[in-house]
Amino acid sequence: MLDFFAIFSKGGIVLWCFQGAGVTESFTGPVNALIRSVILQERSGNNSFNHNALSLKYKLDNEFELVFVVGFQKILTLTYVDKFIDDVQLHFRDRYKNELEQRGALKFLLNDFEFGDDFHRLLREAEYGNKAKAPVFMRTFKESEKSKKTVKSMIETKDGDKSKEQGGKKSKNAKKEAESGGDQAKAASQTASKKAVENGNEGLTPEEIILQNRAKFISKQLGGGKPEKPSKSPKPQKPKGKANRVWDMSGRSTGHLDYSGTNGNNSSDAQNQDPDATVEPLIQVDSMKGDLRGVDYESSDDDEEEEEEVQEEEKVVVANTNKKGAKRGGFGGMFGMLKGLVGSKNLTQEDMEPVLDKMRDHLIAKNVAAEIASQLCDSVAKKLEGKVMGTFTTVASTVKQALQDSLVQILQPKRRVDILRDVLEARAQRKPFVITFCGVNGVGKSTNLAKISYWLIENGFTVLIAACDTFRAGAVEQLRTHQRRLNSLHPPEKHGGQPAVQLFEKGYGKDAAGIAMEAIAFARNQGFDVVLIDTAGRMQDNAPLMTALAKLIAVNTPDLVLFVGEALVGNEAVDQLVKFNQALADHSRTDKPRLIDGIVLTKFDTIDDKVGAAISMTYITGQPIVFVGTGQTYSDLRSLNARAVVSALMKA
C-alpha cells in the first residue's frame, strides 16, 4: 500500500529506499518537491505534504541529520503511517548508530545499510495492528439479564419487609379500593387512620405489641419511673473561669529533655525511623518504568486563528483604501482586500511589521525574555520576506505558522539525551554514571533530584546521592529524608538485600569537590549504577561560589551537568544561564570547557500557559530540556513535549 519509503541525509545522500510493487515512477520528484517547499523553508508544522496524487509524511532526525519520508496515494487513508515512521526511525538509529556517528558524505557512501528485513517486519506489524476488528453484534432480549427479571422483583418498597407484609395483608382491600374509585380510597384511608389513633394498639401485630410492652418495662426498670422527656430549650451552662496552668516540669531537672545522645549524631536511629516507616508506605506514587511521559497541554487555537484573521482582513482593507482609495473610488478597498487574501502576494517587511509587534508583545507576556522574543521575530521576518503567500491565507496566519515552526525547532533537541541508555553503557564499562545538579537558590534541586532517583530506581538501577551542599542548613537532613522514603517505597528485599538508594555525606563546611570525588570512588567500589551530586544553590553574581562550582565540575568531570531552573522566571533566565556558562568556561582547565549539558525545568504546574522560560533557556544554551517537574510527588516528572509547549505559548 506504500508507494515508497526513503531515508536520506540532509546533505542529499540516500542511505536506504524502498519502492512498492507496481510503482514505476521514481520517488525523486516528490522528495525534491518536499525538500524545496517544506524542509528548506521550515514549514514543518504538520509533517505532511501533498504532491500531485501522492501524500508524503516525513520525520526529521536532528541528532544524525536524517530525513525519513514515506509516500502513498492520497485517496488512501492509512492511519498507521505516523506510528510506523516513528518505529522505522528508532530501529534504524539503534541498528546503525556507529555508522551514523561517522559524519561526512564519503562515510555514508561507503557504508552498506541493509534494512530491508527489518522494514518489512515493521510494515507487517503496523498493517496487522491496523486491521479492523470484527463487528460486535447486539445481544437478543432473551440473552440479556433483563429478560430473566420478573415484574414482582422490579417493584421497590419504602419500608422493606414490614411494608411487604402489610402490603400482602391489605392487597385484597387495595384491589377493591382501586376498583371502587379514587374518592372512596381517600375516605377509607382517612377512617382507617382515625381508628388507629383512637384504638391505640389495634393497628399493630401481636409481635409488635409484645416488643412495645417489653421496651416500656425496661425503661421503667432503668429510670425508676416514667422516662424524662428532654427539654426543648436546655439551660445554658455558666462559663467556667480560667484555670491556672500547672507546668509538669516546674522546679524539676530538665536533663531528661536532652535527646542529643540518641538522635543528634548522623547515625540512623531505629526508634526515630519506625514512626516514619509506618506512614511512608502509604504514599501513593505511580509507577515510572521506562521512558518518561511528555508534558500534555490541551488548547483550542481555532478561536484565536479566527480572531487574528478577522483583524488582519480589517488591516488589509484599511491599508489598501488609504493607498488606492483616492484613485479607484469605492471599489479600491474590495479589490485590495481580495488581493491581500488571494495568493501571488509577496510578503514585505511593512506587511509583517504590525503582526510581528503583536507577536513580540505576546511572547513577552508569556515569560519569554524580551531580547529572545525580538530575535525570534527578526528571524521569522527574514525567513518570510519575499515569499509568496498561499491562497486565501492572511499575513497573521502566515507569520504565526512560521513562528510556531521556529519555536518547535528550537525546543527539539539537537542531540538525543537518553539517560537510561547511557547508564546501561556505563554499567557495561563497570563505572557509575555521574550527574551534577546546579542552579540558583530555591528552584528545587534537591526535590527534583529525588524524583530522578525514584525514576532510576523504578528502572532497576541503584543510586548514590552525594550531599555536596555543605552550606545550607538542613540540606543533608532533607536528602536523608528522601533516602528513607525512597527505600520505603523500594525495600531492600526487592534489590537483593541492598538498599536501592544510599546517601554519601560528610557534614557541613567541607569542600564540595572533595566530597564528590570520594562519593564517585565509593560508588565505583560498591557497584552503584548512578551518582547524583547535589550542589548548593548560588546566585550567578556570587563569584566565590561560582568558582567552587567550576572546580567541582572540572575535577570530577561528570557525565551530565544539568542546570535546574524554575519556569516562573522571565528575563532572569537569560542572565542566569549566561553567567553560569561563563563561570564554567572561565575556571576550566582545558581548551574545551565543560558547560551545561541539559536543563531541568521545575514548577511547571504553577504557570498555566506562561511557558516562555522553556524557550528562553533552550535558545540561550542550545541544550535540551531533559526533565520537567510538574508537581510535588516522586512521580511528577515528565519529558518535554515541544508541540504541547508551543501550543500553550501561542494560546491567546
Side-chain angles (χ1 to χ4, degrees):
M1 300 178 73
L2 300 181
D3 284 17
F4 69 90
F5 195 104
I7 304 173
F8 58 91
S9 65
K10 290 185 178 180
I13 300 175
V14 178
L15 305 183
W16 183 86
C17 64
F18 159 80
Q19 202 154 3
V23 179
T24 57
E25 297 181 0
S26 176
F27 61 86
T28 56
V31 172
N32 288 333
L34 171 70
I35 294 173
R36 287 192 302 267
S37 303
V38 178
I39 297 178
L40 294 181
Q41 296 185 14
E42 295 185 1
R43 295 180 178 269
S44 56
N46 52 5
N47 290 339
S48 63
F49 175 71
N50 294 327
H51 179 74
N52 296 334
L54 291 178
S55 179
L56 278 67
K57 295 238 176 182
Y58 64 95
K59 186 174 182 63
L60 303 178
D61 191 324
N62 294 325
E63 182 176 357
F64 297 116
E65 296 185 351
L66 300 178
V67 183
F68 298 79
V69 182
V70 59
F72 54 94
Q73 293 296 320
K74 193 187 302 184
I75 60 174
L76 299 178
T77 304
L78 304 181
T79 58
Y80 63 86
V81 172
D82 292 330
K83 183 179 182 303
F84 172 66
I85 197 170
D86 292 339
D87 295 339
V88 171
Q89 181 206 13
L90 294 177
H91 282 76
F92 190 83
R93 286 168 50 100
D94 295 339
R95 181 170 178 179
Y96 299 107
K97 175 188 172 184
N98 296 329
E99 290 82 353
L100 294 174
E101 288 178 349
Q102 300 175 1
R103 300 299 175 89
L106 184 60
K107 300 292 185 182
F108 283 151
L109 291 174
L110 294 177
N111 291 322
D112 187 14
F113 298 94
E114 295 291 341
F115 193 65
D117 296 335
D118 292 343
F119 175 81
H120 290 291
R121 177 177 57 82
L122 294 174
L123 181 60
R124 285 194 301 270
E125 292 177 357
E127 291 178 348
Y128 179 77
N130 193 56
K131 287 183 179 179
K133 296 182 180 179
V136 180
F137 297 98
M138 294 181 61
R139 293 180 298 176
T140 61
F141 179 74
K142 295 182 179 180
E143 295 175 352
S144 63
E145 296 181 357
K146 191 173 182 180
S147 62
K148 301 177 183 178
K149 294 182 179 180
T150 60
V151 178
K152 185 178 180 181
S153 63
M154 291 188 286
I155 297 176
E156 295 182 357
T157 56
K158 294 183 179 180
D159 299 330
D161 297 336
K162 186 185 295 184
S163 63
K164 289 181 181 179
E165 293 176 0
Q166 295 177 1
K169 291 182 179 179
K170 300 178 181 179
S171 59
K172 296 180 180 180
N173 297 329
K175 290 181 180 179
K176 294 179 180 179
E177 291 173 358
E179 294 175 356
S180 60
D183 296 335
Q184 296 178 0
K186 290 182 180 179
S189 60
Q190 291 177 359
T191 54
S193 60
K194 289 180 180 179
K195 289 181 180 179
V197 173
E198 292 175 358
N199 298 331
N201 296 333
E202 288 182 1
L204 300 177
T205 61
E207 292 81 2
E208 291 175 349
I209 295 173
I210 295 173
L211 292 175
Q212 186 177 3
N213 294 334
R214 186 178 298 171
K216 290 180 180 179
F217 176 75
I218 294 173
S219 62
K220 288 182 180 180
Q221 293 293 329
L222 294 176
K226 295 182 179 179
E228 297 180 356
K229 297 181 180 180
S231 60
K232 295 183 180 179
S233 59
K235 296 180 180 179
Q237 297 181 355
K238 294 182 179 180
K240 296 182 179 179
K242 184 177 180 181
N244 295 327
R245 172 173 286 186
V246 179
W247 297 94
D248 295 335
M249 293 302 301
S250 59
R252 300 182 184 178
S253 175
T254 59
H256 69 282
L257 294 177
D258 186 9
Y259 294 97
S260 60
T262 57
N263 62 355
N265 51 8
N266 291 332
S267 62
S268 60
D269 189 0
Q271 295 180 355
N272 296 329
Q273 293 182 2
D274 286 341
D276 294 334
T278 58
V279 178
E280 288 162 2
L282 299 177
I283 303 174
Q284 299 294 332
V285 183
D286 298 333
S287 177
M288 298 180 65
K289 293 183 180 180
D291 295 332
L292 293 174
R293 292 180 295 171
V295 177
D296 296 329
Y297 185 85
E298 296 180 357
S299 64
S300 58
D301 295 332
D302 297 334
D303 297 338
E304 181 187 355
E305 290 179 357
E306 292 175 1
E307 292 175 2
E308 289 182 350
E309 289 177 1
V310 171
Q311 293 176 0
E312 185 58 28
E313 289 173 7
E314 294 174 356
K315 289 182 180 179
V316 173
V317 172
V318 172
N320 289 317
T321 51
N322 290 335
K323 293 181 181 179
K324 304 179 181 179
K327 297 181 179 179
R328 300 189 178 181
F331 293 99
M334 180 62 67
F335 286 114
M337 183 183 69
L338 292 176
K339 185 178 179 181
L341 291 176
V342 183
S344 71
K345 173 180 173 59
N346 293 329
L347 283 175
T348 62
Q349 187 71 27
E350 291 77 13
D351 295 333
M352 295 183 290
E353 192 63 33
V355 182
L356 289 174
D357 289 340
K358 283 195 171 185
M359 290 290 181
R360 186 181 295 107
D361 296 339
H362 176 76
L363 292 177
I364 295 174
K366 291 297 181 76
N367 269 355
V368 179
E371 179 183 357
I372 294 175
S374 300
Q375 293 178 6
L376 286 172
C377 293
D378 293 342
S379 64
V380 170
K382 292 179 181 178
K383 184 170 59 177
L384 293 179
E385 189 174 5
K387 289 190 176 181
V388 179
M389 292 176 57
T391 306
F392 290 99
T393 57
T394 61
V395 178
S397 61
T398 304
V399 173
K400 179 186 175 183
Q401 185 63 40
L403 180 60
Q404 203 165 358
D405 296 342
S406 299
L407 294 174
V408 171
Q409 190 172 2
I410 289 171
L411 290 176
Q412 284 179 347
K414 297 179 181 178
R415 60 184 182 84
R416 184 178 180 183
V417 180
D418 192 346
I419 294 180
L420 296 179
R421 183 184 65 183
D422 296 338
V423 173
L424 290 174
E425 292 179 356
R427 177 195 279 179
Q429 300 175 6
R430 295 184 178 180
K431 66 176 185 179
F433 187 80
V434 183
I435 304 176
T436 300
F437 297 84
C438 61
V440 299
N441 307 81
V443 294
K445 290 184 296 299
S446 301
T447 303
N448 285 273
L449 181 145
K451 294 180 185 179
I452 296 172
S453 300
Y454 177 73
W455 174 59
L456 292 170
I457 295 169
E458 283 280 304
N459 286 278
F461 300 115
T462 55
V463 179
L464 179 67
I465 300 176
C468 296
D469 185 357
T470 62
F471 181 76
R472 176 173 64 91
V476 178
E477 287 75 12
Q478 181 183 5
L479 292 176
R480 184 179 290 114
T481 302
H482 284 304
Q483 174 217 1
R484 187 169 61 247
R485 286 176 173 259
L486 290 171
N487 283 328
S488 66
L489 293 172
H490 284 269
E493 293 78 12
K494 297 181 180 180
H495 299 273
Q498 298 293 329
V501 56
Q502 292 188 25
L503 177 66
F504 187 91
E505 55 93 6
K506 293 293 183 181
Y508 297 97
K510 307 293 178 58
D511 182 25
I515 296 176
M517 182 180 293
E518 294 180 16
I520 295 172
F522 178 79
R524 186 182 294 108
N525 295 332
Q526 298 297 324
F528 283 92
D529 297 322
V530 185
V531 178
L532 303 180
I533 300 176
D534 182 33
T535 61
R538 63 205 75 207
M539 297 305 295
Q540 62 271 20
D541 298 323
N542 194 328
L545 289 180
M546 294 302 297
T547 305
L549 176 64
K551 174 187 173 184
L552 185 148
I553 295 175
V555 170
N556 297 283
T557 61
D559 299 289
L560 195 63
V561 179
L562 296 180
F563 176 83
V564 184
E566 59 183 3
L568 302 170
V569 297
N571 294 328
E572 186 70 10
V574 179
D575 189 48
Q576 291 175 4
L577 285 163
V578 168
K579 291 189 176 180
F580 264 81
N581 268 334
Q582 188 64 38
L584 295 179
D586 292 342
H587 300 285
S588 178
R589 301 179 182 179
T590 60
D591 296 336
K592 295 182 179 180
R594 183 63 181 278
L595 304 179
I596 293 172
D597 299 322
I599 299 169
V600 180
L601 196 61
T602 64
K603 306 178 185 179
F604 200 77
D605 55 322
T606 63
I607 57 173
D608 194 19
D609 57 351
K610 296 185 178 181
V611 295
I615 300 291
S616 302
M617 294 181 180
T618 311
Y619 191 89
I620 286 295
T621 60
Q623 302 299 335
I625 295 178
V626 185
F627 299 106
V628 178
T630 59
Q632 299 181 6
T633 62
Y634 290 133
S635 59
D636 290 329
L637 193 69
R638 300 286 185 271
S639 61
L640 185 72
N641 186 350
R643 298 195 179 278
V645 172
V646 171
S647 65
L649 191 66
M650 300 302 292
K651 181 183 177 183

